[in-house]
Amino acid sequence: MATVRRVRHNLLAHLTVAGALLLPLVVTTASAASPPAPGPITLHSVIPAPAEVVPSSSGPFRITATTVLVAASAARPIAERLAAALRPATGFPLPIRPAGTTAITLLLNDAPDPWLGDEGYQLEVGTQGVALRANRPAGLFAGTQTLRQLLPTTVEASSVRPENWTVPAGLIRDRPRFPYRGTMLDLARHFHPPADVKRYIDEISRFKFNYLHLHLADDQGWRIEIDGWPRLTTVGGGPGTGVRGLGPGYLTQADYRELVRYAAERFVTILPEIDMPGHVNAAQVAYPSLTCDGVAPRQRTDIRVGYSSLCTSKESTYVFVEDVIRQLAALTPGPYLHVGGDEALSTRHEDYLAFEQRVLPLVAKYGKTAYGWHEIAAAPAATDAVIQYWSVSRDTPTVAAAAGAGAKVILSPADRTYLDMQYDLLTPGGLHWAGTIEVRTAYDWDPATWAHGVPADAVLGVEAPLWSETLRDYDDVEFQAFPRLAAIAELGWSPRSTHDWISFRDRLAAYGPRWTRRGVHFYRSPQIRW
Ligand code: NGO
């Protein structure tokens, strides 16, 4: 009850600024988002659940042929993107104008509202209009994603639909729980072309994910062009690479830059990963000098792990590693660079530690924060790094120790977040080494308290990796990712006080038609009443 009162108090304080749009208020509030779907769309329908919601009993706002969008300066590109999203189904012109009688207004606060931070937003809906405010463009973008979910599902149609384009009235104040909300695509086991990566970015940005981790190299393939090392991609990304030789392809540096740009427009930051010192067979086939004996290993297209290792005792290895890190850092505006570090089972432990002690600081040399799978926690230099926790055990003492000494941790427990795990043993693709993961399993856990000994303030966020051993095409990607990615989005964004399986399940059921209209090939989990 105390929480409920506090939320209402905060919200009411904000209404004094913009009360005209909203009164009268309905006396309900939304620490735990509630009403069941299917049913009318309400302010409680949104995924991920917003932090604070106060519906109003005034009539809804209705978008009509005369509605305009009002946005200045840095808000304008976001308004344009919103208008472009709403035009096909509504058929309305939705011009961007300085003012209008019925308007959707996007405003950047002159005086920052500290509660909102960089990614939060405030959305007010009244009969005369919608006012969306944020401190930064990222917050406005997040708010537009909420607004889209408040419109009828037919808004996703690609041609004009007869519909009452109403938005329920009230106020939402929202901000993320964690600064890092990510998902990963493995381009190494099967390459997925830039057009598919862009479709994935479109989908994840709707759920307010802000990082896309690209796993760009592994035993079966090398997928990013590196100047001075052309065979990495011509051989390592060429015909016959990927699992069973069926996933060839690579990104040129221009492709990569274009993905970075496209993602940034949607407030998604690309996190590149080159896995080392293990998972490097493709690089060694291309450049045998990366092995200790200089002999090229045979090309591998199976899915075993742990057999390859860079030669950690050769100086030339570090010339290669530095070249790769320097180029990737230059291509990547984001703060992080992922250097893998998992399953180096054929690297002696002392060699592994010596390798990480050299390589993690190299990332810092090029202006980025090092990021690695949780095995790097054993190296002292990992206290300055971001550690990606992928264990199926909740006890990993090396990670707890590194977190205690300053490292930040991203939660990707394989038995909760690995999108490549099967939903159940009948799922046509996917693996099950970490178990099967139905939607509720993906949803019902807490990243802040999951890893024993890792304090909540060391948890930077959550990431759902999608490994691609069994994913041949983009349909496979979508089927494994959705709907579970919506669950991970909510864990990353929504305050713990909103966590409620029944509410989530019903909101997900109501969301399903949006995926259907967009042609997203999602898994119809029997746990959800679609
Ligand atoms: C493990 C392994 C990957 C596999 C994945 C499959 C990590 C960090 N290393 O996760 O090479 O592709 O499982 O689920």
Tab-separated table of all heavy atoms in Angstrom, residues 495-527:
chain	number	residue	atom	x	y	z
A	495	PRO	N	10.270	-2.099	-13.347
A	495	PRO	CA	10.610	-2.244	-11.930
A	495	PRO	C	10.102	-3.567	-11.396
A	495	PRO	O	9.083	-4.092	-11.855
A	495	PRO	CB	9.901	-1.066	-11.257
A	495	PRO	CG	8.908	-0.561	-12.219
A	495	PRO	CD	9.335	-0.996	-13.586
A	496	ARG	N	10.818	-4.083	-10.416
A	496	ARG	CA	10.452	-5.393	-9.872
A	496	ARG	C	9.015	-5.384	-9.329
A	496	ARG	O	8.334	-6.410	-9.332
A	496	ARG	CB	11.450	-5.758	-8.769
A	496	ARG	CG	11.397	-7.194	-8.315
A	496	ARG	CD	11.787	-8.161	-9.412
A	496	ARG	NE	11.459	-9.532	-9.056
A	496	ARG	CZ	11.472	-10.545	-9.917
A	496	ARG	NH1	11.804	-10.350	-11.183
A	496	ARG	NH2	11.167	-11.748	-9.524
A	497	SER	N	8.561	-4.221	-8.872
A	497	SER	CA	7.212	-4.144	-8.290
A	497	SER	C	6.126	-4.484	-9.313
A	497	SER	O	5.009	-4.823	-8.936
A	497	SER	CB	6.963	-2.745	-7.727
A	497	SER	OG	7.147	-1.790	-8.764
A	498	THR	N	6.429	-4.402	-10.603
A	498	THR	CA	5.417	-4.734	-11.616
A	498	THR	C	5.463	-6.209	-11.990
A	498	THR	O	4.639	-6.672	-12.782
A	498	THR	CB	5.625	-3.923	-12.912
A	498	THR	OG1	6.878	-4.301	-13.489
A	498	THR	CG2	5.588	-2.436	-12.657
A	499	HIS	N	6.446	-6.948	-11.465
A	499	HIS	CA	6.639	-8.313	-11.939
A	499	HIS	C	5.461	-9.202	-11.557
A	499	HIS	O	5.159	-9.378	-10.379
A	499	HIS	CB	7.943	-8.892	-11.375
A	499	HIS	CG	8.347	-10.164	-12.044
A	499	HIS	ND1	9.112	-10.192	-13.182
A	499	HIS	CD2	8.045	-11.456	-11.770
A	499	HIS	CE1	9.288	-11.446	-13.569
A	499	HIS	NE2	8.647	-12.241	-12.731
A	500	ASP	N	4.800	-9.756	-12.559
A	500	ASP	CA	3.571	-10.506	-12.293
A	500	ASP	C	3.299	-11.396	-13.513
A	500	ASP	O	2.944	-10.904	-14.580
A	500	ASP	CB	2.428	-9.494	-12.069
A	500	ASP	CG	1.083	-10.163	-11.849
A	500	ASP	OD1	0.967	-11.395	-12.045
A	500	ASP	OD2	0.133	-9.436	-11.499
A	501	TRP	N	3.466	-12.695	-13.334
A	501	TRP	CA	3.335	-13.614	-14.462
A	501	TRP	C	1.952	-13.530	-15.112
A	501	TRP	O	1.836	-13.500	-16.340
A	501	TRP	CB	3.653	-15.047	-14.022
A	501	TRP	CG	3.150	-16.075	-15.003
A	501	TRP	CD1	2.121	-16.939	-14.824
A	501	TRP	CD2	3.638	-16.295	-16.346
A	501	TRP	NE1	1.932	-17.697	-15.960
A	501	TRP	CE2	2.850	-17.332	-16.916
A	501	TRP	CE3	4.655	-15.723	-17.121
A	501	TRP	CZ2	3.042	-17.803	-18.217
A	501	TRP	CZ3	4.851	-16.192	-18.416
A	501	TRP	CH2	4.054	-17.224	-18.948
A	502	ILE	N	0.906	-13.489	-14.305
A	502	ILE	CA	-0.452	-13.489	-14.877
A	502	ILE	C	-0.652	-12.242	-15.750
A	502	ILE	O	-1.155	-12.317	-16.872
A	502	ILE	CB	-1.527	-13.546	-13.761
A	502	ILE	CG1	-1.375	-14.828	-12.940
A	502	ILE	CG2	-2.933	-13.453	-14.354
A	502	ILE	CD1	-1.551	-16.117	-13.719
A	503	SER	N	-0.217	-11.108	-15.225
A	503	SER	CA	-0.338	-9.878	-16.004
A	503	SER	C	0.494	-9.978	-17.284
A	503	SER	O	0.024	-9.655	-18.383
A	503	SER	CB	0.133	-8.692	-15.154
A	503	SER	OG	0.522	-7.623	-15.990
A	504	PHE	N	1.720	-10.459	-17.154
A	504	PHE	CA	2.593	-10.559	-18.333
A	504	PHE	C	1.989	-11.499	-19.371
A	504	PHE	O	1.933	-11.192	-20.562
A	504	PHE	CB	3.990	-11.036	-17.926
A	504	PHE	CG	4.905	-11.204	-19.113
A	504	PHE	CD1	5.399	-10.105	-19.790
A	504	PHE	CD2	5.237	-12.482	-19.575
A	504	PHE	CE1	6.219	-10.256	-20.909
A	504	PHE	CE2	6.055	-12.644	-20.687
A	504	PHE	CZ	6.550	-11.526	-21.353
A	505	ARG	N	1.511	-12.636	-18.880
A	505	ARG	CA	0.927	-13.640	-19.779
A	505	ARG	C	-0.242	-13.043	-20.572
A	505	ARG	O	-0.355	-13.250	-21.781
A	505	ARG	CB	0.433	-14.798	-18.905
A	505	ARG	CG	-0.129	-15.964	-19.626
A	505	ARG	CD	-0.921	-16.826	-18.665
A	505	ARG	NE	-2.123	-16.129	-18.219
A	505	ARG	CZ	-2.998	-16.611	-17.334
A	505	ARG	NH1	-2.773	-17.777	-16.761
A	505	ARG	NH2	-4.062	-15.931	-17.013
A	506	ASP	N	-1.070	-12.276	-19.902
A	506	ASP	CA	-2.225	-11.704	-20.583
A	506	ASP	C	-1.822	-10.577	-21.541
A	506	ASP	O	-2.377	-10.456	-22.633
A	506	ASP	CB	-3.244	-11.206	-19.551
A	506	ASP	CG	-3.882	-12.374	-18.797
A	506	ASP	OD1	-3.784	-13.518	-19.290
A	506	ASP	OD2	-4.466	-12.137	-17.716
A	507	ARG	N	-0.844	-9.783	-21.136
A	507	ARG	CA	-0.370	-8.736	-22.059
A	507	ARG	C	0.285	-9.350	-23.287
A	507	ARG	O	0.159	-8.842	-24.402
A	507	ARG	CB	0.593	-7.791	-21.318
A	507	ARG	CG	-0.135	-6.819	-20.387
A	507	ARG	CD	0.821	-5.928	-19.623
A	507	ARG	NE	1.508	-6.649	-18.563
A	507	ARG	CZ	2.821	-6.683	-18.404
A	507	ARG	NH1	3.605	-6.025	-19.226
A	507	ARG	NH2	3.355	-7.372	-17.414
A	508	LEU	N	0.986	-10.465	-23.066
A	508	LEU	CA	1.627	-11.143	-24.193
A	508	LEU	C	0.575	-11.701	-25.152
A	508	LEU	O	0.705	-11.586	-26.384
A	508	LEU	CB	2.518	-12.263	-23.652
A	508	LEU	CG	3.560	-12.848	-24.578
A	508	LEU	CD1	4.478	-11.764	-25.123
A	508	LEU	CD2	4.389	-13.895	-23.828
A	509	ALA	N	-0.479	-12.287	-24.583
A	509	ALA	CA	-1.565	-12.805	-25.432
A	509	ALA	C	-2.134	-11.682	-26.293
A	509	ALA	O	-2.376	-11.861	-27.490
A	509	ALA	CB	-2.661	-13.410	-24.558
A	510	ALA	N	-2.289	-10.514	-25.691
A	510	ALA	CA	-2.851	-9.382	-26.431
A	510	ALA	C	-1.849	-8.834	-27.447
A	510	ALA	O	-2.244	-8.211	-28.436
A	510	ALA	CB	-3.258	-8.282	-25.454
A	511	TYR	N	-0.574	-9.067	-27.206
A	511	TYR	CA	0.457	-8.574	-28.133
A	511	TYR	C	0.548	-9.447	-29.390
A	511	TYR	O	0.923	-8.972	-30.472
A	511	TYR	CB	1.825	-8.516	-27.433
A	511	TYR	CG	2.849	-7.741	-28.234
A	511	TYR	CD1	3.017	-6.375	-28.044
A	511	TYR	CD2	3.609	-8.371	-29.217
A	511	TYR	CE1	3.917	-5.644	-28.808
A	511	TYR	CE2	4.513	-7.653	-29.988
A	511	TYR	CZ	4.659	-6.286	-29.772
A	511	TYR	OH	5.555	-5.575	-30.543
A	512	GLY	N	0.204	-10.735	-29.238
A	512	GLY	CA	0.376	-11.700	-30.327
A	512	GLY	C	-0.090	-11.207	-31.698
A	512	GLY	O	0.644	-11.342	-32.689
A	513	PRO	N	-1.312	-10.617	-31.797
A	513	PRO	CA	-1.773	-10.153	-33.110
A	513	PRO	C	-0.841	-9.126	-33.762
A	513	PRO	O	-0.809	-9.000	-34.986
A	513	PRO	CB	-3.139	-9.533	-32.807
A	513	PRO	CG	-3.582	-10.187	-31.539
A	513	PRO	CD	-2.334	-10.484	-30.761
A	514	ARG	N	-0.093	-8.410	-32.954
A	514	ARG	CA	0.850	-7.443	-33.559
A	514	ARG	C	1.944	-8.202	-34.308
A	514	ARG	O	2.326	-7.842	-35.419
A	514	ARG	CB	1.470	-6.534	-32.483
A	514	ARG	CG	0.436	-5.650	-31.830
A	514	ARG	CD	1.027	-4.734	-30.749
A	514	ARG	NE	-0.081	-4.214	-29.956
A	514	ARG	CZ	-0.699	-3.044	-30.201
A	514	ARG	NH1	-0.274	-2.248	-31.162
A	514	ARG	NH2	-1.722	-2.675	-29.462
A	515	TRP	N	2.478	-9.254	-33.677
A	515	TRP	CA	3.489	-10.064	-34.388
A	515	TRP	C	2.868	-10.688	-35.631
A	515	TRP	O	3.487	-10.725	-36.692
A	515	TRP	CB	4.007	-11.167	-33.460
A	515	TRP	CG	5.084	-10.733	-32.519
A	515	TRP	CD1	6.114	-9.870	-32.785
A	515	TRP	CD2	5.249	-11.166	-31.155
A	515	TRP	NE1	6.916	-9.749	-31.672
A	515	TRP	CE2	6.422	-10.522	-30.671
A	515	TRP	CE3	4.560	-12.032	-30.322
A	515	TRP	CZ2	6.895	-10.732	-29.377
A	515	TRP	CZ3	5.031	-12.233	-29.039
A	515	TRP	CH2	6.181	-11.582	-28.561
A	516	THR	N	1.643	-11.199	-35.479
A	516	THR	CA	1.001	-11.860	-36.621
A	516	THR	C	0.885	-10.886	-37.791
A	516	THR	O	1.229	-11.214	-38.920
A	516	THR	CB	-0.393	-12.380	-36.217
A	516	THR	OG1	-0.233	-13.203	-35.066
A	516	THR	CG2	-1.029	-13.178	-37.339
A	517	ARG	N	0.429	-9.674	-37.508
A	517	ARG	CA	0.264	-8.697	-38.591
A	517	ARG	C	1.584	-8.331	-39.229
A	517	ARG	O	1.633	-8.017	-40.416
A	517	ARG	CB	-0.398	-7.425	-38.074
A	517	ARG	CG	-1.849	-7.624	-37.788
A	517	ARG	CD	-2.576	-6.321	-37.619
A	517	ARG	NE	-3.929	-6.622	-37.190
A	517	ARG	CZ	-4.916	-6.904	-38.024
A	517	ARG	NH1	-4.711	-6.890	-39.328
A	517	ARG	NH2	-6.113	-7.196	-37.565
A	518	ARG	N	2.650	-8.334	-38.465
A	518	ARG	CA	3.958	-7.987	-39.040
A	518	ARG	C	4.632	-9.191	-39.677
A	518	ARG	O	5.758	-9.088	-40.164
A	518	ARG	CB	4.883	-7.433	-37.949
A	518	ARG	CG	4.442	-6.132	-37.351
A	518	ARG	CD	5.602	-5.376	-36.729
A	518	ARG	NE	6.169	-6.011	-35.553
A	518	ARG	CZ	5.679	-5.893	-34.318
A	518	ARG	NH1	4.601	-5.177	-34.120
A	518	ARG	NH2	6.267	-6.476	-33.300
A	519	GLY	N	3.982	-10.350	-39.587
A	519	GLY	CA	4.577	-11.543	-40.201
A	519	GLY	C	5.723	-12.112	-39.388
A	519	GLY	O	6.583	-12.822	-39.923
A	520	VAL	N	5.768	-11.812	-38.100
A	520	VAL	CA	6.829	-12.372	-37.245
A	520	VAL	C	6.454	-13.824	-36.901
A	520	VAL	O	5.352	-14.103	-36.435
A	520	VAL	CB	7.009	-11.531	-35.957
A	520	VAL	CG1	7.973	-12.214	-34.999
A	520	VAL	CG2	7.501	-10.131	-36.319
A	521	HIS	N	7.398	-14.707	-37.141
A	521	HIS	CA	7.174	-16.140	-36.991
A	521	HIS	C	7.452	-16.525	-35.540
A	521	HIS	O	8.524	-17.007	-35.208
A	521	HIS	CB	8.144	-16.848	-37.955
A	521	HIS	CG	8.033	-18.323	-37.966
A	521	HIS	ND1	9.134	-19.137	-37.853
A	521	HIS	CD2	6.982	-19.136	-38.094
A	521	HIS	CE1	8.745	-20.400	-37.898
A	521	HIS	NE2	7.446	-20.424	-38.055
A	522	PHE	N	6.481	-16.274	-34.651
A	522	PHE	CA	6.737	-16.514	-33.225
A	522	PHE	C	6.153	-17.842	-32.775
A	522	PHE	O	5.274	-18.414	-33.406
A	522	PHE	CB	6.203	-15.356	-32.374
A	522	PHE	CG	4.706	-15.237	-32.326
A	522	PHE	CD1	3.983	-15.721	-31.238
A	522	PHE	CD2	4.005	-14.632	-33.356
A	522	PHE	CE1	2.598	-15.607	-31.192
A	522	PHE	CE2	2.619	-14.514	-33.325
A	522	PHE	CZ	1.917	-15.006	-32.240
A	523	TYR	N	6.668	-18.321	-31.662
A	523	TYR	CA	6.252	-19.606	-31.085
A	523	TYR	C	4.967	-19.398	-30.276
A	523	TYR	O	4.938	-18.565	-29.369
A	523	TYR	CB	7.375	-20.123	-30.185
A	523	TYR	CG	6.995	-21.257	-29.268
A	523	TYR	CD1	6.665	-22.515	-29.777
A	523	TYR	CD2	6.992	-21.081	-27.879
A	523	TYR	CE1	6.332	-23.558	-28.919
A	523	TYR	CE2	6.666	-22.119	-27.016
A	523	TYR	CZ	6.331	-23.355	-27.547
A	523	TYR	OH	6.006	-24.379	-26.705
A	524	ARG	N	3.947	-20.165	-30.600
A	524	ARG	CA	2.671	-20.019	-29.891
A	524	ARG	C	2.693	-20.910	-28.658
A	524	ARG	O	2.134	-22.004	-28.653
A	524	ARG	CB	1.507	-20.363	-30.811
A	524	ARG	CG	1.309	-19.289	-31.814
A	524	ARG	CD	0.266	-19.610	-32.858
A	524	ARG	NE	0.353	-18.575	-33.870
A	524	ARG	CZ	-0.270	-17.403	-33.802
A	524	ARG	NH1	-1.060	-17.128	-32.797
A	524	ARG	NH2	-0.100	-16.504	-34.750
A	525	SER	N	3.360	-20.410	-27.652
A	525	SER	CA	3.508	-21.170	-26.412
A	525	SER	C	2.146	-21.574	-25.869
A	525	SER	O	1.241	-20.743	-25.777
A	525	SER	CB	4.231	-20.296	-25.388
A	525	SER	OG	4.028	-20.845	-24.101
A	526	PRO	N	1.999	-22.842	-25.449
A	526	PRO	CA	0.731	-23.264	-24.838
A	526	PRO	C	0.493	-22.602	-23.474
A	526	PRO	O	-0.597	-22.711	-22.927
A	526	PRO	CB	0.899	-24.779	-24.682
A	526	PRO	CG	2.362	-25.033	-24.750
A	526	PRO	CD	2.960	-23.933	-25.574
A	527	GLN	N	1.493	-21.922	-22.942
A	527	GLN	CA	1.284	-21.208	-21.669
A	527	GLN	C	0.500	-19.914	-21.848
A	527	GLN	O	0.082	-19.297	-20.872
A	527	GLN	CB	2.631	-20.860	-21.033
A	527	GLN	CG	3.435	-22.073	-20.611
A	527	GLN	CD	4.738	-21.677	-19.913
A	527	GLN	OE1	5.263	-20.590	-20.139
A	527	GLN	NE2	5.250	-22.566	-19.087
